Amino acid sequence: MNIEAPIKPNRRRKAPKEERRRQLIDAAIKTIAEKGISGTTTSDVTRAAGLSAGIVSLHFGGKDGLLTETLRFLATELRDVWVEAYEDPARSADDKLRAVVEGMFDPRVCTPDKIAAWFAYFGEAKYRAVYRELVDDFDNERTDAIEALCAQLKDEGGYHSVDPEALSISLESLADGFWLSLALYPDWKSPSNFMQSVFDLLAAHFPKHFKAQIADCGAS
């Protein structure tokens, strides 16, 4: 008896929806870093992702949807790198504050392409409004967290001259300035150099908590 082998179905591998969306977002970040917001087209993005034309419309409804979701991704990713440590009740206040600062320069978020993409959004009038709508809450959450930790350290160490609100704003502004330096002068200093400078500022205000830790954050 001649028994034919069963015909195997032609299984065309299809990536899950979220995987495709992430491919497009990663490609959008790279393209924005190279061409800016205005210079980025959906064709550029699909080409960089190695995907077919039209897939941006399928997953995001078009360029505006893709750019908005890319900004949301960047903001969420930046939050995720510090919030887990901050919410860990086993960590001390100084350890949490250290984790927040390290999150600002984490290699997952502090890359040339992602920094360039952030500043591309800042520089585009239309997307500054989108930024305020999407990212203000993320920014305020981190600033409030820093202020709360500074207030806790002030009480713990008896640092009577420390103004937690002013210091939290200074830390955020310093980090923003360092990111701008990384974007404009990428060969000048590394993220770890700039992170050290932030810890130097913290050590000046909280010497009982940060003096010994600065040496662990040397330049690379």
Side-chain angles (χ1 to χ4, degrees):
M1 181 183 297
N2 183 17
I3 301 177
E4 295 183 357
I7 299 174
K8 295 181 179 180
N10 181 15
R11 295 182 178 176
R12 184 179 177 183
R13 296 186 62 186
K14 294 183 179 180
K17 178 180 178 180
E18 287 308 310
E19 183 178 331
R20 284 287 188 244
R21 286 173 61 89
R22 178 59 188 271
Q23 281 181 270
L24 290 167
I25 286 173
D26 288 343
I29 291 169
K30 180 177 178 60
T31 306
I32 292 167
E34 294 174 352
K35 301 187 176 186
I37 296 289
S38 297
T40 293
T41 67
T42 56
S43 296
D44 293 328
V45 174
T46 54
R47 189 180 306 114
L51 299 174
S52 60
I55 197 168
V56 169
S57 295
L58 175 64
H59 288 285
F60 298 98
K63 177 181 173 179
D64 284 345
L66 171 62
L67 293 178
T68 298
E69 290 308 309
T70 298
L71 179 57
R72 192 192 308 276
F73 169 83
L74 289 168
T76 302
E77 182 185 51
L78 187 58
R79 179 185 185 271
D80 287 347
V81 299
W82 68 266
V83 75
E84 182 178 358
Y86 176 75
E87 293 178 345
D88 183 353
R91 288 178 179 259
S92 61
D94 56 307
D95 193 25
K96 289 182 179 182
L97 186 52
R98 183 180 181 84
V100 173
V101 172
E102 288 174 343
M104 296 173 176
F105 300 95
D106 188 285
R108 289 170 290 179
V109 299
C110 192
T111 71
D113 281 352
K114 289 178 180 178
I115 291 172
W118 275 112
F119 282 103
Y121 281 103
F122 298 156
E124 189 82 14
K126 174 181 178 180
Y127 281 95
R128 283 199 295 272
V130 175
Y131 176 94
R132 288 191 294 270
E133 181 181 347
L134 291 180
V135 186
D136 266 3
D137 288 345
F138 290 94
D139 287 345
N140 292 336
E141 179 186 26
R142 188 175 63 189
T143 303
D144 290 347
I146 293 172
E147 182 180 345
L149 292 171
C150 288
Q152 187 175 341
L153 290 176
K154 176 181 180 177
D155 291 341
E156 287 180 6
Y159 303 113
H160 303 298
S161 63
V162 171
D163 181 338
E165 181 181 9
L167 182 54
S168 67
I169 294 171
S170 295
L171 288 169
E172 288 281 2
S173 299
L174 189 61
D176 286 344
F178 286 155
W179 269 41
L180 181 59
S181 293
L182 287 167
L184 295 176
Y185 311 107
D187 298 324
W188 179 33
K189 291 187 177 182
S190 69
S192 62
N193 293 141
F194 287 127
M195 185 166 64
Q196 164 115 21
S197 296
V198 178
F199 282 118
D200 287 343
L201 177 62
L202 286 173
H205 287 82
F206 305 118
K208 298 174 187 176
H209 291 85
F210 282 91
K211 184 177 180 180
Q213 294 183 357
I214 295 176
D216 296 332
C217 191
S220 63

